[in-house]
Amino acid sequence: MRFRKWLYSFIGGLAVAALLLSGFNFVADPFGVFGDRFLKWHSYNMVNNPRVAKIGYLDQYHDRYNSYIIGGSKSSSISPELLNQYYGDGASFYSMLMYGGDFYDYEQTLRYIVDEYKPKNIVLHMSLQELGHYNEDSEVDFKQSLHAKVNGEPLLPFYLKYLTLNPSYGYTKLEGLAKHAVDSFEYSQFIPESGVYNKVKRDAEKVDDLEQYMIDNAKNFAPFGRIEATALDKNVASLKRMKEYAEQHNVSFRLITGATSTQELKSYDMEKLKEYWMKIAEVTDFWDFSGYTSVSGDPRYFYDTMHYRNSLGAMMLGYVFNDPDVYVPAGFGHLTTRDNAAAYADQIFTPPAAANAESVRMPIVVYHHIDDDPYEPNSLIVTVDKFKSDMQAIKEQGFNTLFLSDLIDYVDGKKELPDNPLVITFDDGYYSNYEHAYPVLKELGLKATISAIGWSVGLTEHRIPGKNFYPHFTWEQAKEMYDSGFIDIQNHTFDMHEQNTEQPDSRIGVLQIQEEANGAYAGAVLEDAGKMAELIEQNVGNEINTFTYPFGYYSHLSEQFFRDAGYRVTLSTKSGINQIVKGDPGSLFALKRINADPHVSSEELVKKLMAP
Amino acid sequence: MIFSSYSFILIFLPITFLGYRLFNAFKLYDVAKLWLVFASLYFYAQGSASFVWIFIADVLFNLTVGAQLIQAQKANAVWNKRILLAVGLAANILFLGYYKYYNFAIENINFFTGQTFALLQIALPLGISFFTFQFIAYLVDCYRGKALETSIIDFLLFVTFFPQLIVGPIVHQTDVVPQFNDKKQPLFNKTNMMLGMVLFSIGCAKKILLADPLTGYAVGYFNDTASGDTLTAWLSSFSYTLSYYFDLSGYADMAIGLGLFFNIKLPSNFNSPYKARNFREYWQRWHMTLSRFLSDYIFRSVYRKGKGSFNFYFAVMVTFLVSGFWHGAGWQFVLWGILNGVFVCMSHFMYRNNLKLPFIIAWVITFAGVVGTRILFVSDSMKESLQVFRTMFSAKDFANMDMSLVLNHVATFAAYHLYVIALLIVAMLISFFGRSTTQLMNEYKPKYWHAAAAAVLFGISLSQMTSVSNFLYFQF
């Protein structure tokens, strides 16, 4: 046995090991560097490292695309399909989104795409967090590094690195195949054909009830930590180079800045952002959705602190392309140019006056019809005696009854509220309110708000002949009550207080009909509410500040419509006590109310209203 | 620095080896040994830098006491001998006691007296349990007149020799010192080199390819036993049982292989322990150098031949109590020791009374005992190990499931843990049916394909020594 020959055998064995390893890594290809020709599981590779895997994918399939969105993870909410529609002319977009992207990544990617794929259009999406980093060391990590083709590193060491990769990455991918067979969502966080995140799970979430949404997603909205503006000038210079490079190659170039949540905005120095905006506007006009806007304070537009929802992305594109089918909240979206940048930046980078820590516990009680002998007794109808007894109990308990305008004044800092406040409300506008409630309230000196339905005012018969119907008060009676100073009249729709379960495509209250475009939805709801508001103003003469949701049903969007239309308060029927925060107009939306149930004694009702 | 790392394999080992060969080539034999001592101290400092000077002082202390003991032994000065041994043992035990058991003692004092004595921030020095045992064995050997008189360099090399310094094998002075002074020792020995390379590669593969991923999985469950489900508890317990063996025996294989690079034959530590069909046999196959130490220095100090079976069983129990305590400071280790003692006593009882179970039943019971005691061993507390057992035998996860749902549940679990399950199967096949490296070593005849096969294992192990980063995508 010769030692030298032994050593050669050993070295030969090492060579075999290297071949086995390379072969395995080539076949498993957990990062898609080699095009994943065997498993063709591109979503897995993109989950592993979108920067590298997307290049591996596009090198094979780039002839299917002629336009690209380049940006960080936020840009995933800009839909390539929508861009295709808006750009028209055969545009076919691909999203190059890369998590934690910075301008270095964007620029290298843009150059590679322009050089190699010869695109027609580029949309650059800026997230804002790029302000804090530019070409960091952490990007040598397997999960964040760029493809060597993109950042111009030598290719041989790059491919060798992936051939001699720790095979554990490949084992995990093979194991992932089994997981994927059980649950097809495993490693499907990217949609390889469009490059965006697959958000079907998050988009199916119920977002309408803000309180519940924040309970479910509390940890998603954790503060992000400070982001210093270390890369400000580098980013602007890079942006300039990108724009010039695209234009030199006859590629259309558009910059969009993504929506930001209030929570995220706390991470930045506002003065730096204003400076950033001025400098960016010197380089290019841009479609601007960042900063404190009408949506930034509402977490329901966001998945978490950093990422705005697909639905908001659709609104942004609707704004950019002026799509009448798309509802865009007022005060969201702006074309920022060299001329208006200073003023606009000043507006969006000035935090709204901080909400005061001061708040008031606000119970609201709701009644409907009062009747000793109804067609069909239910939990929404009380007898005349029960109503009287309730009011006496409330009076004796020392509640100070308020109008909703008092709450608004409190939030606006114009007025303090008395101790032990209470709001009494009536829905629908029944004649019984005038006949029974009004005298009692007047006698006891209690204030109440009645939300009336427009079409039924003054009617004693249902518009559908023969249908059970309780009479409703007339405009004159409404005016009489209002003039007494004890009653306020507010909006409960003109004619959207319907739900027809037999007709599935009919509207339920003010909710969206399936497949209805947001723009049409907004139009319908606001037209109806506007009609009613006009009627009240004409006939009663008071100011409309409150919208009461039919059946208490509301959506995230409807909340936004009413906010846009100038409503300050919306009332739901969710049971509970509200907390009204001085300086926080949001605390007046979707207010909870406690139903004065006929089976709950007056004593118990008062107890409920007093409960913490 | 562990053996299965780039810094050890690519830097430390080549430099140490080449230096050693170079000094020997110039016939600077003592310099070569000193070179190994310094390399070993450097190796130690990489793991426990702050402790290296205390370690050196500890070595010198034992060197002095040992030398005095040998003098006293020669002069037949019985009382001197006894006092020296008492001082030496007391110092070593106190030393180990301070570092390993101080906080455990304080915790118990606080618990039983309601006091709140503060715990100390004591970092356990690397390998202290192992080298302290080597010192104790050495001093007792000196006392018994069995130790060899050695040069200071030989003594230093015996205690510091890096392949065995941190987790054994526990080496007796008489194992290695004669080898240091063998005439052939400084010469290049190709057979030793070949076997060394094979053993090191096998050890590396055992640790990197099998033990580390299995441990990595099992640790996840044992860090948070409260939230794991039944299948996870089973898979984790078996994974840990197998990974413990492959980790320790892989390390021992690497140590023995490394020793051979320097022409030092270290004693074997494992001999296919999971093939054992009773606990007596298990302890003859598991961590053999520790068993030898406990048998020579604990069991034999308690057991007196011809004093009846009670004395025997008592000695066994004392030995395993010490073993339990040595393995860790915590009551679960004490219980672990007692349980092992009881199991060993039971198998002795059966052996003495000629009771024999069919092979397969005996093996299954023994392996179940091994898994059960391993759970106790790796749990943070008794409470936690009870939690593991409860989870393993709870039917809660399968409540209201018919057979097809149970199968579906198990299949889903298997799909989600395919890698660990595959490794576990390979590990079990090897440990139940494979030849042990001890066997391989004893009857070793080098063949060229061994070199190639070892290199394949070694090469793949090398590729798995880099750290793997986690997924970064956001949870949409």
Side-chain angles (χ1 to χ4, degrees):
Chain A
M1 177 82 28
R2 288 171 53 199
F3 188 66
R4 181 170 298 184
K5 208 171 158 197
W6 166 278
L7 265 188
Y8 289 153
S9 305
F10 194 84
I11 292 164
L14 284 179
V16 171
L19 275 177
L20 284 173
L21 179 68
S22 308
F24 175 76
N25 281 328
F26 187 79
V27 171
D29 201 8
F31 289 89
V33 170
F34 307 107
D36 200 8
R37 284 158 209 280
F38 295 90
L39 302 177
K40 298 200 182 303
W41 193 9
H42 300 290
S43 72
Y44 183 93
N45 311 335
M46 290 181 193
V47 172
N48 237 345
N49 180 346
R51 290 166 169 80
V52 166
K54 284 184 177 174
I55 298 298
Y57 179 82
L58 287 172
D59 279 352
Q60 294 176 72
Y61 302 115
H62 64 88
D63 50 354
R64 297 177 187 173
Y65 310 98
N66 57 25
S67 304
Y68 295 84
I69 313 153
I70 301 174
S73 51
K74 278 184 191 178
S75 68
S76 168
S77 292
I78 299 296
S79 153
E81 285 85 5
L82 287 178
L83 281 175
N84 295 346
Q85 285 173 29
Y86 288 130
Y87 270 77
D89 192 25
S92 174
F93 270 89
Y94 193 83
S95 175
M96 294 300 296
L97 87 90
M98 44 195 125
Y99 43 65
D102 62 22
F103 270 81
Y104 174 81
D105 298 332
Y106 303 162
E107 186 179 351
Q108 298 296 329
T109 303
L110 180 138
R111 283 173 188 274
Y112 180 75
I113 287 173
V114 170
D115 292 347
E116 300 297 323
Y117 304 157
K118 314 282 180 227
K120 288 206 280 193
N121 311 295
I122 296 256
V123 171
L124 181 68
H125 179 283
M126 187 174 98
S127 296
L128 215 54
Q129 49 76 23
E130 302 95 343
L131 199 55
H133 56 117
Y134 186 89
N135 194 18
E136 276 185 332
D137 291 345
S138 71
E139 298 191 356
V140 300
D141 180 273
F142 277 115
K143 305 284 165 150
Q144 291 197 64
S145 53
L146 288 167
H147 199 293
K149 283 183 179 171
V150 172
N151 67 4
E153 279 174 16
L155 289 178
L156 186 64
F158 175 79
Y159 284 119
L160 276 179
K161 188 172 81 173
Y162 283 92
L163 281 177
T164 56
L165 192 67
N166 186 329
S168 302
Y169 288 107
Y171 304 154
T172 309
K173 184 171 180 182
L174 295 185
E175 186 177 69
L177 279 173
K179 292 186 190 178
H180 187 72
V182 174
D183 177 355
S184 63
F185 200 76
E186 288 287 354
Y187 305 107
S188 300
Q189 286 87 350
F190 275 92
I191 301 169
E193 292 77 16
S194 58
V196 297
Y197 276 128
N198 178 358
K199 296 171 182 162
V200 288
K201 283 194 179 172
R202 292 293 317 260
D203 281 340
E205 280 173 346
K206 278 266 178 232
V207 298
D208 296 329
D209 185 337
L210 177 61
E211 196 178 41
Q212 190 58 44
Y213 182 66
M214 287 312 281
I215 291 169
D216 295 341
N217 289 285
K219 66 176 193 312
N220 286 338
F221 288 95
F224 198 74
R226 193 85 198 142
I227 296 175
E228 299 298 342
T230 50
L232 195 155
D233 289 319
K234 283 184 205 153
N235 290 355
V236 174
S238 170
L239 175 67
K240 189 159 190 283
R241 289 192 297 269
M242 281 190 266
K243 183 174 195 268
E244 285 168 2
Y245 199 74
E247 283 168 357
Q248 277 163 22
H249 292 81
N250 290 320
V251 180
S252 87
F253 179 88
R254 187 193 296 270
L255 175 65
I256 296 179
T257 66
T260 46
S261 73
T262 301
Q263 185 71 290
E264 182 193 346
L265 288 166
K266 289 177 186 161
S267 298
Y268 307 97
D269 175 346
M270 290 297 130
E271 293 311 310
K272 286 286 177 192
L273 290 180
K274 289 175 193 168
E275 180 191 340
Y276 198 27
W277 248 233
M278 303 280 289
K279 288 181 172 169
I280 292 171
E282 285 297 319
V283 177
T284 178
D285 296 350
F286 59 101
W287 296 94
D288 188 350
F289 300 92
S290 304
Y292 292 98
T293 61
S294 54
V295 305
S296 59
D298 188 337
R300 291 171 291 192
Y301 286 112
F302 298 85
Y303 299 107
D304 53 47
T305 304
M306 292 300 277
H307 299 96
Y308 60 87
R309 286 187 170 266
N310 280 351
S311 54
L312 199 56
M315 289 178 181
M316 287 161 57
L317 292 181
Y319 180 85
V320 172
F321 295 96
N322 203 12
D323 182 345
D325 283 342
V326 175
Y327 164 74
V328 184
F332 180 59
H334 185 253
L335 178 61
T336 303
T337 63
R338 187 178 302 172
D339 300 330
N340 64 27
Y344 187 65
D346 207 44
Q347 177 195 325
I348 56 168
F349 295 130
T350 302
N356 215 303
E358 207 180 299
S359 68
V360 168
R361 189 188 150 281
M362 185 62 62
I364 305 178
V365 62
V366 56
Y367 289 91
H368 288 75
H369 180 47
I370 299 166
D371 199 331
D372 287 343
D373 183 23
Y375 299 114
E376 205 180 313
N378 66 40
S379 65
L380 301 182
I381 302 173
V382 295
T383 62
V384 179
D385 285 346
K386 172 68 167 64
F387 178 76
K388 276 184 190 160
S389 127
D390 283 357
M391 290 304 113
Q392 269 153 5
I394 282 168
K395 182 79 189 171
E396 279 163 23
Q397 188 58 46
F399 276 111
N400 291 298
T401 52
L402 302 172
F403 290 136
L404 293 156
S405 55
D406 297 321
L407 273 49
I408 296 166
D409 287 346
Y410 170 75
V411 165
D412 291 346
K414 292 181 188 158
K415 193 196 259 181
E416 292 302 314
L417 293 179
D419 290 341
N420 220 2
L422 174 69
V423 174
I424 301 171
T425 63
F426 293 83
D427 282 6
D428 303 345
Y430 295 102
Y431 177 70
S432 65
N433 299 166
Y434 174 76
E435 186 185 14
H436 301 299
Y438 171 54
V440 175
L441 292 165
K442 212 162 55 172
E443 187 193 325
L444 294 174
L446 299 173
K447 292 175 183 169
T449 301
I450 302 176
S451 302
I453 301 167
W455 71 267
S456 60
V457 172
L459 293 189
T460 52
E461 297 281 330
H462 199 284
R463 56 185 166 182
I464 300 169
K467 199 170 176 187
N468 281 347
F469 187 74
Y470 301 112
H472 288 60
F473 56 69
T474 63
W475 284 121
E476 290 71 33
Q477 288 158 343
K479 175 121 178 72
E480 182 195 335
M481 290 192 283
Y482 174 72
D483 287 343
S484 75
F486 291 102
I487 303 292
D488 192 22
I489 306 291
Q490 293 293 340
N491 192 340
H492 199 29
T493 74
F494 177 77
D495 188 9
M496 279 202 173
H497 202 296
E498 299 294 329
Q499 56 176 336
N500 192 341
T501 44
E502 279 153 32
Q503 265 183 289
D505 53 349
S506 69
R507 191 182 303 286
I508 299 172
V510 295
L511 297 183
Q512 193 165 13
I513 304 169
Q514 262 189 14
E515 315 270 325
E516 185 179 30
N518 287 351
Y521 173 41
V525 169
L526 289 179
E527 191 195 325
D528 177 273
K531 196 166 166 189
M532 179 59 179
E534 217 169 284
L535 280 173
I536 298 173
E537 272 158 18
Q538 276 170 17
N539 291 296
V540 185
N542 65 324
E543 186 199 331
I544 303 303
N545 51 35
T546 299
F547 185 84
T548 302
Y549 285 113
F551 320 108
Y553 297 154
Y554 66 98
S555 72
H556 178 211
L557 277 178
S558 71
E559 290 279 87
Q560 188 74 44
F561 303 156
F562 291 114
R563 207 184 304 243
D564 279 5
Y567 286 82
R568 300 295 308 275
V569 180
T570 60
L571 299 177
S572 79
T573 53
K574 192 176 171 184
S575 189
I577 306 283
N578 307 286
Q579 207 67 31
I580 308 294
V581 183
K582 191 182 257 188
D584 178 12
S587 67
L588 291 172
F589 277 78
L591 293 182
K592 293 177 271 196
R593 295 186 289 172
I594 289 169
N595 181 38
D597 193 293
H599 304 297
V600 171
S601 73
S602 302
E603 251 174 55
E604 278 172 69
L605 176 67
V606 166
K607 242 186 241 169
K608 273 186 167 181
L609 297 175
M610 300 287 291
Chain B
M1 190 161 33
I2 58 167
F3 300 155
S4 51
S5 65
Y6 292 139
S7 51
F8 180 86
I9 293 171
L10 301 179
I11 300 167
F12 177 84
L13 185 60
I15 292 176
T16 308
F17 180 75
L18 289 176
Y20 185 68
R21 295 259 47 93
L22 201 68
F23 289 124
N24 276 327
F26 288 101
K27 300 197 189 316
L28 300 166
Y29 302 134
D30 278 345
V31 180
K33 285 180 191 167
L34 269 178
W35 167 252
L36 272 190
V37 170
F38 282 117
S40 298
L41 288 174
Y42 174 81
F43 174 81
Y44 190 83
Q46 295 305 301
S48 261
S50 56
F51 191 71
V52 70
W53 294 108
I54 301 174
F55 172 61
I56 292 170
D58 192 23
V59 171
L60 296 177
F61 169 79
N62 282 288
L63 172 69
T64 316
V65 175
Q68 295 293 318
L69 262 173
I70 290 173
Q71 293 309 318
Q73 161 72 20
K74 273 193 199 156
N76 223 349
V78 176
W79 277 103
N80 275 357
K81 245 173 66 174
R82 285 184 183 167
I83 291 167
L84 278 168
L85 180 67
V87 168
L89 289 184
N92 275 303
I93 290 167
L94 281 175
F95 187 68
L96 182 61
Y98 172 74
Y99 281 103
K100 198 163 174 178
Y101 303 105
Y102 181 87
N103 279 341
F104 178 61
I106 296 293
E107 274 169 17
N108 280 292
I109 291 168
N110 287 347
F111 180 80
F112 286 109
T113 64
Q115 300 286 330
T116 50
F117 294 114
L119 299 181
L120 296 184
Q121 295 283 330
I122 305 175
L124 193 63
L126 216 54
I128 188 168
S129 307
F130 289 89
F131 62 70
T132 303
F133 264 26
Q134 284 190 190
F135 290 142
I136 290 174
Y138 172 66
L139 294 182
V140 174
D141 285 354
C142 289
Y143 174 83
R144 289 178 180 169
K146 287 183 185 163
L148 301 165
E149 230 176 316
T150 58
S151 69
I152 293 177
I153 292 180
D154 282 353
F155 180 82
L156 291 177
L157 186 54
F158 147 60
V159 288
T160 62
F161 189 46
F162 70 88
Q164 49 85 51
L165 180 56
I166 289 170
V167 285
I170 298 171
V171 175
H172 285 244
Q173 183 229 21
T174 47
D175 291 336
V176 288
V177 167
Q179 297 188 54
F180 294 160
N181 296 311
D182 192 300
K183 277 206 193 82
K184 287 187 180 161
Q185 147 62 229
L187 304 176
F188 179 79
N189 180 326
K190 67 177 184 186
T191 313
N192 277 349
M193 276 308 291
M194 294 175 192
L195 183 55
M197 284 161 80
V198 170
L199 287 177
F200 189 83
S201 301
I202 290 176
C204 224
K206 276 174 156 181
K207 175 152 174 62
I208 295 286
L209 304 186
L210 290 174
D212 284 355
L214 285 175
T215 307
Y217 170 70
V219 162
Y221 168 69
F222 277 90
N223 279 344
D224 182 16
T225 51
S227 62
D229 59 13
T230 297
L231 292 176
T232 306
W234 278 94
L235 186 59
S236 300
S237 300
F238 272 73
S239 294
Y240 231 148
T241 305
L242 271 299
S243 81
Y244 237 89
Y245 166 60
F246 279 95
D247 195 287
L248 289 176
S249 77
Y251 217 77
D253 290 345
M254 287 190 275
I256 293 167
L258 288 168
L260 288 172
F261 290 172
F262 301 93
N263 291 335
I264 304 295
K265 209 172 166 216
L266 296 172
S268 289
N269 228 2
F270 293 89
N271 186 16
S272 301
Y274 291 167
K275 290 177 191 162
R277 64 190 95 173
N278 62 57
F279 260 69
R280 188 175 65 96
E281 191 192 348
Y282 172 71
W283 278 104
Q284 287 164 353
R285 290 165 171 272
W286 175 273
H287 211 162
M288 290 142 72
T289 58
L290 174 69
S291 296
R292 183 178 65 165
F293 173 89
L294 293 170
S295 158
D296 284 354
Y297 300 97
I298 308 293
F299 180 77
R300 279 196 198 146
S301 342
V302 180
Y303 176 60
R304 293 281 174 271
K305 224 180 168 132
K307 282 191 94 181
S309 53
F310 176 77
N311 176 262
F312 175 81
Y313 291 122
F314 179 72
V316 170
M317 290 307 294
V318 169
T319 307
F320 277 97
L321 211 73
V322 171
S323 175
F325 215 53
W326 177 82
H327 277 94
W331 289 110
Q332 75 270 31
F333 292 104
V334 175
L335 180 67
W336 177 86
I338 290 172
L339 273 179
N340 271 291
V342 169
F343 291 162
V344 171
C345 287
M346 278 161 62
S347 48
H348 269 288
F349 178 81
M350 287 181 66
Y351 176 72
R352 288 178 168 211
N353 293 286
N354 257 329
L355 300 170
K356 232 178 174 178
L357 287 169
F359 172 81
I360 188 77
I361 294 174
W363 176 82
V364 167
I365 292 174
T366 307
F367 192 67
V370 168
V371 176
T373 48
R374 182 57 63 207
I375 290 170
L376 193 58
F377 190 90
V378 296
S379 297
D380 277 343
S381 64
M382 306 257 280
K383 209 174 119 203
E384 194 183 284
S385 54
L386 276 178
Q387 165 95 51
V388 176
F389 286 117
R390 262 202 304 275
T391 309
M392 285 174 81
F393 294 99
S394 145
K396 195 178 87 240
D397 293 352
F398 302 96
N400 307 318
M401 281 192 190
D402 62 18
M403 204 54 203
S404 71
L405 275 177
V406 169
L407 285 178
N408 188 17
H409 181 75
V410 172
T412 302
F413 181 82
Y416 272 73
H417 300 89
L418 213 53
Y419 178 43
V420 169
I421 290 170
L423 289 180
L424 187 63
I425 290 170
V426 171
M428 286 171 114
L429 289 176
I430 293 175
S431 48
F432 299 154
F433 302 107
R435 287 205 309 162
S436 76
T437 36
T438 307
Q439 276 170 295
L440 184 110
M441 218 163 78
N442 290 340
E443 51 209 52
Y444 189 66
K445 288 194 190 65
K447 296 208 172 65
Y448 289 122
W449 73 266
H450 292 171
V456 169
L457 288 178
F458 180 64
I460 294 172
S461 304
L462 276 181
S463 74
Q464 281 188 228
M465 282 178 202
T466 49
S467 62
V468 174
S469 45
N470 288 322
F471 290 98
L472 284 178
Y473 60 82
F474 296 98
Q475 291 290 342
F476 287 114

